[in-house]
Amino acid sequence: MANRFLPIGIQDFEDLRTRGCIYVDKTALIYKLATEGKPYFLSRPRRFGKSLLLSTMEAYFLGKKELFKGLAIETLEKEWIEYPVLKISFGADNYPDLESLKSALNLQLSDYEKLYDIKVEDRRFAPRFTNIIKGIVNQTGKKLVILIDEYDKPILDALYTEFEEQNRQELRSFYSPLKDSDKYIRFLFITGITKVSHVNIFSGLNQLNDISLDRTYSSICGISESELERYFSPEIEALANQQDMTVAETKKKLAAMYDGYHFTHDVEGVYNPFCLLKCFYSKDFGSYWFESGTPSFLVKTLQNQPLELEHLINGRIATENQFKNYDPDSKNMLAVVYQSGYLTIKDFEKEMRFYTLDFPNREVEEGFLDVLLQKFVSVPYDDVGLEINNLRIALKNCNIDKVLSIIKAAIADLPTVVKKNMCENYYESVTHLMFRMTGMRVVSELQSVAGRSDVVVATKDSVFIFELKMDKGRPFEEVAEDALKQIDDNGYCERFAVSGKKMLKVGVVFSSEGKGMVGWKVK
C-alpha cells in the first residue's frame, strides 16, 4: 500500500499524474474516439469522472506525451501532434437564472479573447464564439479541439422555473456556431447528465455521435469489475482487514453497494468511481454519493410528477426513447431520473426491445428512497430513520398493529404535492416505500395465477401479504373483508406455502378523500 494515492475529487489529469495517483487507464478508448470520429456526445451521471475524461483528452490533444508514460495511448499514438484546445465548462457554478449564465459565458469567452488577443466587435455570445474559433485556427494554423463539460447544468439548475426556457434559448444561441464550424474543428466532445431532445440545444448539429448507450464505450467513465481487480487489489485487501471480512466477502459487498450501473444491455457492470474511492479511503461502506449532495433537480422532478412514484420504486419497463432523451414539455420524468444515475439498465428483451430499469445498487436505492420519504411522508426529517428501524423491529416481531400504526402516522394526511385523484397510487407507493426501506424483501403487484397482490413483505420467519383498498364511501368492515377475501380467492398465499414461514394476510383500508389510513384487519 506504500505510495498509493487515491485521486478523490481530482478532476485535472495533469495534477493526478504528477501527484502519482492511481489512474484507471481509459486512454485506449480516447485514442479510438480521436482516430475514428470527430463530434461526440456522452451522457453520464454526476460523480462518474466526466470532467477527468475531458481533462485527459485536453492533455492528449495538447501533446503532453510525458503525462501518458506507461498508459495504453503511449504506444498507440505515433505522432503526438499538438492542437489548440478550447474548453468550456459549466461545472464550477450554479445557474438559477439567465444573468448568472450570461456572466459565466462572458467570463469564459473573455479568457480566450485575452489569451489569443482577439478583438471583440460584437458582444453577443454566438458571434464572439465564432470569432474565437476562427481566430484561434488562423493564429495557430491548426484545427481546433473543442471540449464542453456539463453543457446542460444551466438548464437543470433552472428546472421547472421561468428561467429554464430562457437558459435553454441562450445556450442554443451560444452553441449555434458549432454547426457551421466543422471545417475548423479537429475534435468535438460534449458531456452532460441529460440529453435534451425537445428543443435542439445544438442548433442542427445532427452529426453528433451520441455514445451514451454505445457498448464499446460503456465503461469509458466509471470502474468496471475487471478494472477493480486490476487496479485496486491492495485497497480491497486493506478494506477486508479493516472490516474483518474475507476478500471474497468484501468484493461481494462492494458490488452490492457501488456496482450495478449498465449503460447498455449485456455489458459488464460499472462502479461509481467517487463512491468506490471514498470507500477505500475511509475503509468503510458508507453512502458517499448522497453525502456529496442530492441534486435539487431530483426533488423538483419528483414534486412535478408525483404519480410516477410507484413506477420508480417498483422497477420500470421502458423503450429506449422513453429514457434516452429529456423532453422539457413532456410529463415523463423517467429520462431525468435515469440519466441522473438513480436508475440503470437491469435487463433487456431483444424481440420487443424493452428495457427494465431499476436501482443500480443498495447505496443509491437507500439514498433515493430516503429522499422520497422526506418529501412524501409527514414524519419529521430527524425521525425518519428511527421510524424505519421501529418498522423493521415490528416486522421481525410480527407485530402488525405496530407496523401499520407507524405507516398510518407517516401518511396521516395527503401531502400538498399529491392531488386527491392520485391518492390511491400515493398510498400504495408510500406503503411499499416504507417497507422497502427496512431492507426486507418487498414486492409490489406480485403476480399469481389468478391476480396480483398489492404488497408482499418477507422476513426470515414470516410472510406478510397486504391488500390495499380505498373505501370509496363504503364501511370499513366491508372493505377490509373484501380485501382479505381477494387474498384467499386469488391464491396469493399458495406460492409461499412450501416455505414453512408464518403467513399473515392483512387487509388495509385507506380514505378516498385523502385522509390517510382508515384501519386494517388481519387474518
Side-chain angles (χ1 to χ4, degrees):
M1 289 289 291
N3 299 322
R4 290 180 62 83
F5 305 113
L6 298 169
I8 299 172
I10 298 177
Q11 301 179 354
D12 183 86
F13 178 72
E14 183 169 358
D15 186 24
L16 183 152
R17 295 292 284 172
T18 53
R19 286 172 179 264
C21 295
I22 301 169
Y23 174 68
V24 177
D25 191 356
K26 307 289 185 179
T27 60
L29 292 176
I30 292 174
Y31 180 79
K32 183 177 177 65
L33 288 168
T35 54
E36 293 183 0
K38 178 161 64 175
Y40 295 98
F41 174 81
L42 176 69
S43 167
R44 283 294 183 269
R46 68 189 182 98
R47 298 294 192 179
F48 253 86
K50 298 187 296 298
S51 297
L52 177 60
L53 175 67
L54 261 64
S55 179
T56 309
M57 290 177 174
E58 180 181 24
Y60 165 61
F61 281 110
L62 288 174
K64 296 184 177 182
K65 183 179 180 180
E66 70 280 2
L67 297 177
F68 295 88
K69 185 174 179 59
L71 301 180
I73 207 168
E74 181 186 28
T75 56
L76 292 171
E77 181 57 74
K78 307 300 181 184
E79 297 179 329
W80 290 96
I81 299 173
E82 181 182 347
Y83 292 93
V85 176
L86 194 161
K87 188 177 179 183
I88 301 291
S89 175
F90 294 100
D93 205 348
N94 294 314
Y95 311 92
D97 52 42
L98 184 58
E99 286 307 311
S100 59
L101 172 57
K102 286 182 176 181
S103 176
L105 289 173
N106 181 63
L107 183 63
Q108 299 200 55
L109 293 183
S110 295
D111 286 343
Y112 283 103
E113 288 161 346
K114 292 175 183 176
L115 181 64
Y116 288 93
D117 194 22
I118 295 172
K119 185 178 180 181
V120 181
E121 297 180 349
D122 190 329
R123 299 300 304 178
R124 292 176 300 162
F125 295 123
R128 288 174 66 185
F129 196 16
T130 300
N131 203 33
I132 289 171
I133 292 172
K134 292 180 179 180
I136 293 175
V137 172
N138 289 337
Q139 285 189 38
T140 62
K142 294 178 181 179
K143 288 189 175 184
L144 180 64
V145 171
I146 300 178
L147 306 174
I148 300 175
D149 195 16
E150 297 196 51
Y151 88 97
D152 56 344
K153 193 172 187 296
I155 300 172
L156 297 179
D157 283 352
L159 200 65
Y160 304 122
T161 73
E162 60 180 304
F163 297 107
E164 180 186 356
E165 179 59 26
Q166 293 181 26
N167 284 5
R168 186 183 300 111
Q169 294 282 1
E170 190 64 53
L171 285 175
R172 184 162 68 251
S173 174
F174 173 69
Y175 293 133
S176 61
L178 296 174
K179 177 184 178 182
D180 297 321
S181 299
D182 186 65
K183 64 180 179 180
Y184 301 105
I185 298 175
R186 161 64 180 87
F187 185 79
L188 171 64
F189 201 92
I190 301 170
T191 76
I193 292 177
T194 63
K195 184 179 181 185
V196 181
S197 64
H198 180 64
V199 181
N200 189 353
I201 295 297
F202 300 108
S203 300
L205 195 65
N206 297 324
Q207 72 269 31
L208 268 180
N209 183 6
D210 183 359
I211 60 171
S212 304
L213 295 175
D214 191 294
R215 181 181 309 278
T216 302
Y217 301 105
S218 63
S219 63
I220 194 168
C221 289
I223 299 172
S224 68
E225 184 69 39
S226 55
E227 289 170 335
L228 179 69
E229 296 274 356
R230 177 182 176 186
Y231 291 96
F232 296 102
S233 289
E235 284 72 24
I236 295 172
E237 291 179 11
L239 176 62
N241 291 334
Q242 179 66 34
Q243 296 294 321
D244 196 23
M245 300 168 67
T246 67
V247 169
E249 289 170 340
T250 303
K251 289 179 181 178
K252 185 177 180 179
K253 187 160 185 178
L254 282 170
M257 288 293 293
Y258 311 118
D259 191 13
Y261 288 94
H262 298 86
F263 298 108
T264 186
H265 55 88
D266 301 325
V267 293
E268 190 177 18
V270 178
Y271 288 77
N272 183 300
F274 176 78
C275 301
L276 195 63
L277 294 178
K278 282 286 288 181
C279 177
F280 288 147
Y281 179 81
S282 302
K283 296 185 178 63
D284 191 23
F285 296 99
S287 297
Y288 303 110
W289 201 49
F290 277 84
E291 285 179 5
S292 67
T294 302
S296 60
F297 74 85
L298 169 64
V299 175
K300 293 178 186 176
T301 303
L302 295 173
Q303 286 178 309
N304 193 56
Q305 295 296 330
L307 261 182
E308 288 281 346
L309 187 58
E310 73 275 13
H311 296 302
L312 296 178
I313 63 175
N314 295 336
R316 175 69 183 267
I317 296 176
T319 63
E320 183 175 312
N321 287 336
Q322 288 177 298
F323 65 88
K324 184 177 182 180
N325 300 321
Y326 162 58
D327 183 343
D329 284 350
S330 171
K331 295 300 182 183
N332 174 29
M333 63 186 280
L334 191 62
V336 173
V337 180
Y338 164 78
Q339 292 170 0
S340 303
Y342 300 101
L343 298 177
T344 195
I345 296 169
K346 286 297 186 180
D347 199 6
F348 177 69
E349 199 283 306
K350 292 184 179 179
E351 184 176 350
M352 300 298 294
R353 297 197 63 79
F354 286 151
Y355 291 80
T356 298
L357 307 180
D358 209 338
F359 297 113
N361 52 51
R362 185 63 181 165
E363 182 199 27
V364 172
E365 178 181 1
E366 288 179 346
F368 187 80
L369 297 182
D370 186 55
V371 170
L372 288 178
L373 270 184
Q374 294 173 34
K375 205 69 204 171
F376 291 102
V377 303
S378 56
V379 178
Y381 173 78
D382 292 341
D383 294 337
V384 169
L386 178 62
E387 289 302 326
I388 293 301
N389 189 53
N390 289 336
L391 187 61
R392 184 184 298 114
I393 294 170
L395 284 168
K396 287 183 177 180
N397 294 334
C398 291
N399 189 342
I400 290 294
D401 288 341
K402 180 66 173 178
V403 166
L404 293 173
S405 293
I406 293 171
I407 295 175
K408 181 178 181 179
I411 51 178
D413 296 296
L414 204 64
T416 56
V417 295
V418 182
K419 297 176 182 177
K420 189 177 292 184
N421 62 358
M422 302 177 185
C423 61
E424 183 170 357
N425 287 335
Y426 166 76
Y427 288 139
E428 180 176 341
S429 297
V430 174
T431 301
H432 174 103
L433 177 60
M434 294 191 69
F435 283 136
R436 191 156 177 174
M437 283 290 288
T438 65
M440 304 294 185
R441 181 172 178 265
V442 183
V443 182
S444 277
E445 297 285 304
L446 183 62
Q447 186 71 47
S448 68
V449 176
R452 295 187 301 177
S453 58
D454 282 332
V455 182
V456 175
V457 182
T459 68
K460 181 181 178 182
D461 303 309
S462 307
V463 174
F464 306 85
I465 301 175
F466 297 91
E467 186 63 33
L468 313 182
K469 293 285 188 185
M470 307 301 292
D471 60 9
K472 297 180 180 179
R474 299 167 59 201
F476 161 72
E477 286 288 342
E478 182 181 317
V479 181
E481 284 295 336
D482 283 350
L484 293 173
K485 185 174 186 299
Q486 184 172 326
I487 294 174
D488 289 333
D489 290 349
N490 290 338
Y492 292 155
C493 297
E494 293 176 6
R495 66 183 299 163
F496 302 103
V498 295
S499 68
K501 294 183 179 181
K502 182 178 180 180
M503 200 84 58
L504 294 99
K505 296 172 282 187
V506 189
V508 186
V509 183
F510 292 95
S511 166
S512 298
E513 296 298 314
K515 297 178 181 179
M517 188 185 297
V518 176
W520 57 88
K521 196 167 185 178
V522 184
K523 185 176 179 180

